[in-house]
Structures are given as structure tokens and as C-alpha cells.
Amino acid sequence: MYKSILAVLCLLNLLFSCTRVDENFYAQDPDKLDLIAKPLDSVIFDDEKGIVNINIKANANFFGLNYSKFLIDIANENHSYCHPDVLYFPQGFNGYKYWMAFTPYFGAVGTNQNSKRFENPTVVVSNDGINWVSPIGLINPIMAAPFPQESIRENNRDPKQGFWSDVDWVYVNNKFYLYYRASFISASALKKKVEKNSENLKKLEVEAQRTIVQQTSVDGVNWSTMNIVFTSNPPFSPRNNHVLSPSFIHDGNKFISYEIELNFGKKNFKGNDPSYVIRRNSSDGMNFDFFRESKIVNFLNKPWLKLNPAYSPWHIQATYVDGYYFLCMAIGDVKKYTSEALYIAYSKDGLNYQVFPKAIVENNAYRSSIFPMKTDEKNIQMGAMIANKSGEFRYKEFTLSKEKIDNCWK
């Protein structure tokens, strides 16, 4: 009897201890800069190249199936494009200067459950930034939609259907590193897809609502077996947070990731913002800082609050060039799981960011991307793939002055 009572007391103490740990599960605040400099006025586009056309069929078939109703041509007026991330090769790579990862998607988020099945990682190429095709030898998508039996239930209303989303990539040391998010896909299903090693299996010991995965390629066509980067469980994230729109860069020494974490109360963030951008570091692009070691990005100005005091970052995309860090941020009412405006922020340390005061898009914007094309001592020429919620991409270009950016950090 005494042993039973003692065991119960030990169990209660363990549960109480875990609760206390969860209540103090915080990311770190960065050292904030005492900066008075006025941020740059706005991004001025050199010109608008035009509406993007991706000449492929979106495929929502489960692996091994080929039903025509789940093959939809998304070229021309059938734009259904989402979540672009572009890499630019000035001299071309395998015959193309532009390489883009994106996901097909139909309609606003949550309006069509079948849309999830189409949101599969897809790679396309171009030489003008406007007209895109699959690279020779690649059959898109990179990963087929998960079967319902591979999924875990998201809620009691919708059919059980896991999905992929939020693609992002970086090219480092002659290799593509492609990252994307597995949502409501069971750990047992992921174990069958990943490379069989102890690190992957350890990260999949506990079921997670969301998991960030990685595949690599040296040619953009043949892709490695999947690996697990981190999940929406401690110690990687507050349990069941959304780990939204993770974006990855390499600064010449290490990999850096940025992501959106929603603020569900006082357990994980001390402030009152609806969402926060956090930054992690990694030496290998696979093992990133745990949530406790990650740092909250500090925005020295938040011009989106003038548009709407409820606005906060919803999706982001990061890029790095010549010692300058940039974030392309889709901003909106995150409590409604959407965005409206699009802003660009810049930094010299990757943690403290100035934001261009004027939005480059104020309405209907979704996760977009910017990418370096050419740099010299004075300027950075950038491309921009601007996405909206109605499924269109528009390609634009702009030029930034290094001197003007530097003057904002003095």
C-alpha cells in the first residue's frame, strides 16, 4: 500500500514538474539595438515583368494512382500557385537561370478540403522568370499526397487527410536543400518514408501535428530520401504550434532558419503580439536549435500596425547576400489564418530588422519571395515573385543601395 501511494505521489510530482517546464518554455529575446536611424522609404520596382505562367499539371493522386480528376492543368488562366521560393543562377544551372519550388493550391485556405491534396512540393524552371516548366527528367510533384490512412485527424469536422505545404529551399556547396512541412501525417507513415537512421527515428518517437522535412539534390531532378528536421513538439516547438512557413538561408558559415510561431498565451511568449518570428542556427542544415535556444526576431518598426492594429506576421521568406539579411513577410490577421499585406525587412545581424515603411502590396497578398540576382560594391539587384491569395504569381525586379542600407545601421 505504501509503495503504491509513493508511486502515485512520484507520478503527480513528475506531471507537476512537466507542467512547470511547459509554462516556462520560452524562446530567447535578442539583444536589442539602440538605433535612431530612419528606415529606407520604400521598395521601388524597376519594372513589372508580368504574370507568371507555370505549364504543368497539378497532381493530387496518391502514390501509384493516376485518376484524371486529380490531374489539373494549372497553366495560363488556371493559375493556382502558392508559396514560391526562387533561386537564381546568373550563368544558368542545367540550362536554366531560374529555379523555383512552389505548391499548387486551389482557393482560400480552408475552403476546399481537396486543395490539401494538391499542395505537394513542386520544382519548375525558367529563363525569363515568366514562363516555367518542369526540368527535364523530373516528374512533379517531388512527393505525392499522403494517403488518408497515413494521416492523423486535424479536427472532428473535416475528412482525415494529411498534407504537405510551405516549401522553401537553399543552394549550398553545389547542392539543393529543399524543406517543407508535413501536416497531420502520422509518425508511423513518416518512418516509412525517411532515411533509416537513429536521428530520424528519435525525432519521430512522439506523434506530432506538424513536421519539417528535408530532401537534397545535386541536379534538382533526382532527390534524396526524406529526413526529419524538427517537429511541433518540445523541445523543438511549443506543443502543436504551427511552425509556419519555415525559411532557410546559409550565411557562408552556418544554416539559419526563420519561422512563424503563433502566440497562444503567456506560456511561450512574454509579449502580446499574435505571432512571432523566431530564428534558429544549424551547422549541417539538419539539426537546428531547440526552441529554448532559438531567438525572437526584433522588428525595430512595425508599419503594418498602421494598416490594422490586429496585423502580425503570417508567412515569411528569408534571403541572404553579401552580409545583408532580408525577410519578405506576408502580414495579416493571424487569428483568421490569413494575410493581406506584403512587407520587406532588412538587417545586418539577422536578428534586428528594419522594415520598409510602405507595403509593396496592401491587399490580397500571400507568401511571396525575393532573391538576389546580381551584386556589386554599390547595389543589390533583386527579383521578386509576388503571390496573391487568388493563386497568381507576378514577377518583378528592384535594386537596393548598399550605402543606404548601411546608413540605417550607424
Side-chain angles (χ1 to χ4, degrees):
M1 181 68 177
Y2 174 76
K3 290 183 178 180
S4 298
I5 294 173
L6 184 61
V8 171
L9 290 174
C10 289
L11 179 60
L12 290 173
N13 182 62
L14 177 62
L15 291 173
F16 181 67
S17 299
C18 290
T19 301
R20 284 187 313 214
V21 169
D22 282 343
E23 288 177 351
N24 295 286
F25 190 56
Y26 294 108
Q28 299 178 17
D29 290 319
D31 296 329
K32 294 185 178 181
L33 295 180
D34 183 16
L35 195 65
I36 303 175
K38 182 181 177 180
L40 298 178
D41 291 335
S42 63
V43 169
I44 300 175
F45 291 107
D46 300 336
D47 58 2
E48 181 169 342
K49 300 298 183 180
I51 297 178
V52 167
N53 178 48
I54 304 176
N55 189 22
I56 65 168
K57 289 185 177 180
N59 189 346
N61 278 287
F62 302 132
F63 181 76
L65 301 178
N66 194 33
Y67 293 116
S68 59
K69 69 176 182 178
F70 291 115
L71 283 170
I72 299 180
D73 188 344
I74 57 174
N76 302 314
E77 70 277 3
N78 298 322
H79 301 120
S80 300
Y81 313 150
C82 187
H83 223 283
D85 196 26
V86 179
L87 297 171
Y88 181 77
F89 300 88
Q91 306 305 318
F93 180 87
N94 282 356
Y96 293 94
K97 292 184 177 181
Y98 299 82
W99 286 69
M100 178 168 64
F102 82 105
T103 59
Y105 195 84
F106 297 88
V109 172
T111 59
N112 183 348
Q113 289 304 311
N114 272 337
S115 292
K116 297 177 181 179
R117 288 183 53 172
F118 286 91
E119 198 175 3
N120 303 314
T122 303
V123 171
V124 289
V125 291
S126 173
N127 274 318
D128 61 9
I130 298 293
N131 300 287
W132 298 77
V133 296
S134 295
I136 296 173
L138 176 64
I139 299 176
N140 277 307
I142 299 296
M143 187 65 63
F147 286 93
Q149 57 266 36
E150 295 180 307
S151 308
I152 57 178
R153 190 169 292 281
E154 182 174 356
N155 54 53
N156 293 324
R157 305 182 307 275
D158 301 323
K160 188 169 71 169
Q161 179 60 63
F163 59 96
W164 313 107
S165 66
D166 293 11
V167 294
D168 191 274
W169 62 357
V170 61
Y171 187 76
V172 181
N173 296 328
N174 302 314
K175 183 184 290 188
F176 292 95
Y177 292 78
L178 173 66
Y179 298 86
Y180 51 102
R181 189 177 67 156
S183 294
F184 302 99
I185 301 175
S186 70
S188 60
L190 290 171
K191 286 178 183 178
K192 296 177 181 178
K193 298 177 185 293
V194 301
E195 184 176 321
K196 303 301 184 289
N197 60 51
S198 58
E199 284 190 6
N200 283 333
L201 296 179
K202 183 176 181 180
K203 292 174 182 177
L204 293 172
E205 284 178 351
V206 179
E207 200 82 85
Q209 289 187 355
R210 299 167 181 90
T211 301
I212 307 304
V213 303
Q214 181 212 75
Q215 290 181 267
T216 62
S217 174
V218 296
D219 59 11
V221 174
N222 300 286
W223 290 89
S224 70
T225 305
M226 182 185 294
N227 281 293
I228 303 300
V229 184
F230 53 86
T231 73
S232 61
N233 286 329
F236 306 105
S237 160
R239 189 174 303 280
N240 295 335
N241 211 303
H242 288 222
V243 289
L244 278 166
S245 192
S247 189
F248 300 80
I249 61 173
H250 193 276
D251 68 358
N253 296 306
K254 63 184 179 298
F255 289 84
I256 298 172
S257 72
Y258 295 87
E259 78 206 50
I260 304 291
E261 295 283 357
L262 301 184
N263 185 5
F264 293 132
K266 295 295 184 182
K267 289 186 176 181
N268 307 117
F269 296 102
K270 299 172 185 178
N272 296 316
D273 290 2
S275 67
Y276 289 90
V277 179
I278 68 167
R279 192 189 87 162
R280 309 173 190 257
N281 296 323
S282 170
S283 61
D284 60 3
M286 181 62 63
N287 296 289
F288 285 82
D289 292 335
F290 292 159
F291 186 73
R292 288 183 188 277
E293 287 74 47
S294 68
K295 290 193 174 183
I296 299 172
V297 169
N298 175 41
F299 294 108
L300 298 168
N301 59 325
K302 297 178 180 178
W304 49 81
L305 296 179
K306 294 181 180 179
L307 289 180
N308 188 323
Y311 278 4
S312 192
W314 171 243
H315 276 36
I316 53 171
Q317 180 266 339
T319 193
Y320 172 86
V321 57
D322 292 354
Y324 300 89
Y325 301 80
F326 298 94
L327 292 177
C328 182
M329 301 188 294
I331 304 291
D333 187 345
V334 302
K335 293 182 180 179
K336 295 180 180 178
Y337 296 92
T338 191
S339 62
E340 288 291 344
L342 198 64
Y343 286 87
I344 294 177
Y346 53 96
S347 173
K348 292 297 291 292
D349 64 6
L351 275 172
N352 296 278
Y353 279 84
Q354 295 262 25
V355 185
F356 286 95
K358 186 177 180 181
I360 59 175
V361 179
E362 289 193 2
N363 297 290
N364 197 35
Y366 208 66
R367 200 271 199 181
S368 303
S369 70
I370 59 176
F371 52 95
M373 299 180 68
K374 180 182 178 181
T375 67
D376 55 34
E377 292 182 357
K378 294 183 178 181
N379 297 311
I380 304 172
Q381 183 183 350
M382 305 279 277
M385 193 62 68
I386 309 299
N388 61 34
K389 291 188 290 186
S390 52
E392 294 177 340
F393 291 169
R394 283 178 170 81
Y395 175 47
K396 302 183 179 185
E397 293 178 1
F398 61 98
T399 302
L400 298 176
S401 164
K402 290 182 178 180
E403 181 181 9
K404 289 183 178 180
I405 294 176
D406 291 341
N407 287 338
C408 292
W409 297 94
K410 292 180 179 179

Short mmCIF file of all heavy atoms in Angstrom, two decimals, residues 199-224:
data_model
loop_
_atom_site.label_atom_id
_atom_site.label_comp_id
_atom_site.label_asym_id
_atom_site.label_seq_id
_atom_site.Cartn_x
_atom_site.Cartn_y
_atom_site.Cartn_z
N GLU A 199 18.68 9.32 -35.76
CA GLU A 199 18.22 10.69 -35.57
C GLU A 199 16.78 10.85 -36.04
O GLU A 199 15.95 11.46 -35.36
CB GLU A 199 19.12 11.67 -36.30
CG GLU A 199 20.45 11.91 -35.62
CD GLU A 199 21.22 13.06 -36.24
OE1 GLU A 199 20.67 13.74 -37.13
OE2 GLU A 199 22.37 13.28 -35.84
N ASN A 200 16.48 10.34 -37.23
CA ASN A 200 15.12 10.44 -37.74
C ASN A 200 14.13 9.70 -36.84
O ASN A 200 13.05 10.21 -36.53
CB ASN A 200 15.04 9.87 -39.16
CG ASN A 200 15.59 10.82 -40.20
OD1 ASN A 200 15.57 12.02 -40.03
ND2 ASN A 200 16.09 10.27 -41.30
N LEU A 201 14.49 8.51 -36.44
CA LEU A 201 13.59 7.71 -35.62
C LEU A 201 13.35 8.35 -34.25
O LEU A 201 12.24 8.31 -33.73
CB LEU A 201 14.14 6.29 -35.46
CG LEU A 201 14.24 5.48 -36.77
CD1 LEU A 201 14.84 4.11 -36.50
CD2 LEU A 201 12.89 5.36 -37.45
N LYS A 202 14.39 8.98 -33.70
CA LYS A 202 14.23 9.64 -32.40
C LYS A 202 13.28 10.82 -32.50
O LYS A 202 12.43 11.04 -31.63
CB LYS A 202 15.59 10.11 -31.89
CG LYS A 202 15.53 10.74 -30.50
CD LYS A 202 16.92 11.11 -30.00
CE LYS A 202 16.83 11.72 -28.60
NZ LYS A 202 18.17 12.10 -28.08
N LYS A 203 13.39 11.59 -33.58
CA LYS A 203 12.51 12.75 -33.76
C LYS A 203 11.07 12.33 -34.01
O LYS A 203 10.15 13.15 -33.87
CB LYS A 203 13.02 13.61 -34.91
CG LYS A 203 14.35 14.32 -34.62
CD LYS A 203 14.89 15.05 -35.83
CE LYS A 203 16.23 15.71 -35.53
NZ LYS A 203 16.82 16.39 -36.72
N LEU A 204 10.86 11.07 -34.39
CA LEU A 204 9.51 10.58 -34.69
C LEU A 204 8.96 9.67 -33.60
O LEU A 204 7.97 8.97 -33.80
CB LEU A 204 9.51 9.84 -36.03
CG LEU A 204 9.78 10.69 -37.26
CD1 LEU A 204 9.96 9.81 -38.50
CD2 LEU A 204 8.67 11.70 -37.49
N GLU A 205 9.58 9.69 -32.44
CA GLU A 205 9.12 8.84 -31.34
C GLU A 205 7.73 9.24 -30.85
O GLU A 205 6.93 8.42 -30.43
CB GLU A 205 10.11 8.90 -30.17
CG GLU A 205 11.38 8.10 -30.40
CD GLU A 205 12.35 8.21 -29.25
OE1 GLU A 205 12.11 9.05 -28.34
OE2 GLU A 205 13.35 7.46 -29.23
N VAL A 206 7.43 10.55 -30.91
CA VAL A 206 6.15 11.07 -30.43
C VAL A 206 5.38 11.64 -31.61
O VAL A 206 5.94 12.35 -32.45
CB VAL A 206 6.36 12.15 -29.35
CG1 VAL A 206 5.02 12.70 -28.87
CG2 VAL A 206 7.17 11.59 -28.19
N GLU A 207 4.09 11.35 -31.69
CA GLU A 207 3.25 11.88 -32.76
C GLU A 207 3.26 13.41 -32.72
O GLU A 207 3.15 14.01 -31.66
CB GLU A 207 1.82 11.38 -32.59
CG GLU A 207 0.97 11.44 -33.83
CD GLU A 207 1.21 10.24 -34.73
OE1 GLU A 207 0.60 9.19 -34.51
OE2 GLU A 207 2.05 10.38 -35.65
N ALA A 208 3.39 14.04 -33.88
CA ALA A 208 3.37 15.50 -33.97
C ALA A 208 2.37 15.94 -35.03
O ALA A 208 2.23 15.29 -36.06
CB ALA A 208 4.77 16.03 -34.31
N GLN A 209 1.69 17.04 -34.77
CA GLN A 209 0.75 17.55 -35.77
C GLN A 209 1.49 18.06 -37.01
O GLN A 209 0.98 17.95 -38.12
CB GLN A 209 -0.09 18.67 -35.16
CG GLN A 209 -1.10 18.19 -34.13
CD GLN A 209 -2.04 19.30 -33.69
OE1 GLN A 209 -1.89 20.46 -34.07
NE2 GLN A 209 -3.01 18.95 -32.86
N ARG A 210 2.69 18.60 -36.81
CA ARG A 210 3.44 19.16 -37.93
C ARG A 210 4.91 18.79 -37.81
O ARG A 210 5.47 18.82 -36.72
CB ARG A 210 3.26 20.68 -37.99
CG ARG A 210 1.80 21.08 -38.21
CD ARG A 210 1.55 22.55 -37.95
NE ARG A 210 0.14 22.87 -38.15
CZ ARG A 210 -0.80 22.82 -37.20
NH1 ARG A 210 -0.45 22.44 -35.97
NH2 ARG A 210 -2.04 23.12 -37.46
N THR A 211 5.52 18.50 -38.96
CA THR A 211 6.91 18.06 -39.00
C THR A 211 7.60 18.73 -40.18
O THR A 211 7.07 18.73 -41.30
CB THR A 211 7.00 16.53 -39.15
OG1 THR A 211 6.32 15.91 -38.06
CG2 THR A 211 8.45 16.08 -39.17
N ILE A 212 8.77 19.30 -39.94
CA ILE A 212 9.55 19.90 -41.02
C ILE A 212 10.51 18.84 -41.56
O ILE A 212 11.26 18.22 -40.79
CB ILE A 212 10.35 21.13 -40.53
CG1 ILE A 212 9.40 22.12 -39.85
CG2 ILE A 212 11.09 21.78 -41.69
CD1 ILE A 212 8.24 22.57 -40.71
N VAL A 213 10.46 18.62 -42.87
CA VAL A 213 11.26 17.57 -43.50
C VAL A 213 12.22 18.21 -44.52
O VAL A 213 12.05 19.36 -44.92
CB VAL A 213 10.38 16.52 -44.18
CG1 VAL A 213 9.40 15.91 -43.18
CG2 VAL A 213 9.63 17.11 -45.37
N GLN A 214 13.22 17.43 -44.92
CA GLN A 214 14.23 17.91 -45.87
C GLN A 214 14.56 16.83 -46.89
O GLN A 214 14.63 15.64 -46.56
CB GLN A 214 15.50 18.30 -45.12
CG GLN A 214 16.63 18.83 -46.00
CD GLN A 214 18.00 18.49 -45.44
OE1 GLN A 214 18.45 17.34 -45.53
NE2 GLN A 214 18.67 19.47 -44.86
N GLN A 215 14.75 17.26 -48.13
CA GLN A 215 15.34 16.42 -49.17
C GLN A 215 16.43 17.22 -49.87
O GLN A 215 16.37 18.45 -49.93
CB GLN A 215 14.28 15.99 -50.19
CG GLN A 215 13.27 14.99 -49.65
CD GLN A 215 12.26 14.58 -50.70
OE1 GLN A 215 11.20 15.18 -50.82
NE2 GLN A 215 12.59 13.57 -51.49
N THR A 216 17.44 16.53 -50.41
CA THR A 216 18.54 17.21 -51.09
C THR A 216 18.71 16.67 -52.50
O THR A 216 18.25 15.57 -52.83
CB THR A 216 19.86 17.05 -50.32
OG1 THR A 216 20.20 15.65 -50.26
CG2 THR A 216 19.75 17.60 -48.91
N SER A 217 19.37 17.48 -53.34
CA SER A 217 19.62 17.08 -54.72
C SER A 217 20.82 17.85 -55.25
O SER A 217 21.01 19.02 -54.93
CB SER A 217 18.38 17.37 -55.58
OG SER A 217 18.65 17.12 -56.95
N VAL A 218 21.62 17.19 -56.09
CA VAL A 218 22.74 17.88 -56.73
C VAL A 218 22.37 18.40 -58.11
O VAL A 218 23.08 19.23 -58.68
CB VAL A 218 23.99 16.97 -56.82
CG1 VAL A 218 24.49 16.62 -55.42
CG2 VAL A 218 23.68 15.71 -57.63
N ASP A 219 21.24 17.95 -58.65
CA ASP A 219 20.85 18.38 -60.00
C ASP A 219 19.44 18.96 -60.08
O ASP A 219 19.00 19.39 -61.15
CB ASP A 219 20.98 17.22 -60.99
CG ASP A 219 20.13 16.01 -60.63
OD1 ASP A 219 19.28 16.12 -59.72
OD2 ASP A 219 20.31 14.95 -61.26
N GLY A 220 18.71 18.96 -58.97
CA GLY A 220 17.35 19.48 -58.96
C GLY A 220 16.31 18.53 -59.53
O GLY A 220 15.12 18.85 -59.55
N VAL A 221 16.75 17.37 -59.96
CA VAL A 221 15.87 16.39 -60.59
C VAL A 221 15.76 15.12 -59.75
O VAL A 221 14.66 14.61 -59.50
CB VAL A 221 16.37 16.05 -62.01
CG1 VAL A 221 15.54 14.92 -62.62
CG2 VAL A 221 16.32 17.29 -62.91
N ASN A 222 16.88 14.61 -59.33
CA ASN A 222 16.92 13.39 -58.52
C ASN A 222 17.07 13.79 -57.05
O ASN A 222 18.06 14.42 -56.68
CB ASN A 222 18.08 12.51 -58.97
CG ASN A 222 17.95 12.09 -60.42
OD1 ASN A 222 17.15 11.24 -60.76
ND2 ASN A 222 18.76 12.71 -61.29
N TRP A 223 16.10 13.37 -56.23
CA TRP A 223 16.04 13.83 -54.85
C TRP A 223 16.29 12.70 -53.86
O TRP A 223 15.90 11.57 -54.09
CB TRP A 223 14.67 14.48 -54.58
CG TRP A 223 14.56 15.78 -55.32
CD1 TRP A 223 14.10 15.99 -56.59
CD2 TRP A 223 15.00 17.06 -54.84
NE1 TRP A 223 14.20 17.31 -56.93
CE2 TRP A 223 14.74 18.00 -55.88
CE3 TRP A 223 15.55 17.51 -53.65
CZ2 TRP A 223 15.05 19.36 -55.74
CZ3 TRP A 223 15.84 18.86 -53.51
CH2 TRP A 223 15.59 19.77 -54.55
N SER A 224 16.95 13.04 -52.78
CA SER A 224 17.31 12.06 -51.75
C SER A 224 16.06 11.59 -51.01
O SER A 224 14.98 12.17 -51.11
CB SER A 224 18.27 12.70 -50.75
OG SER A 224 17.60 13.68 -49.96
#
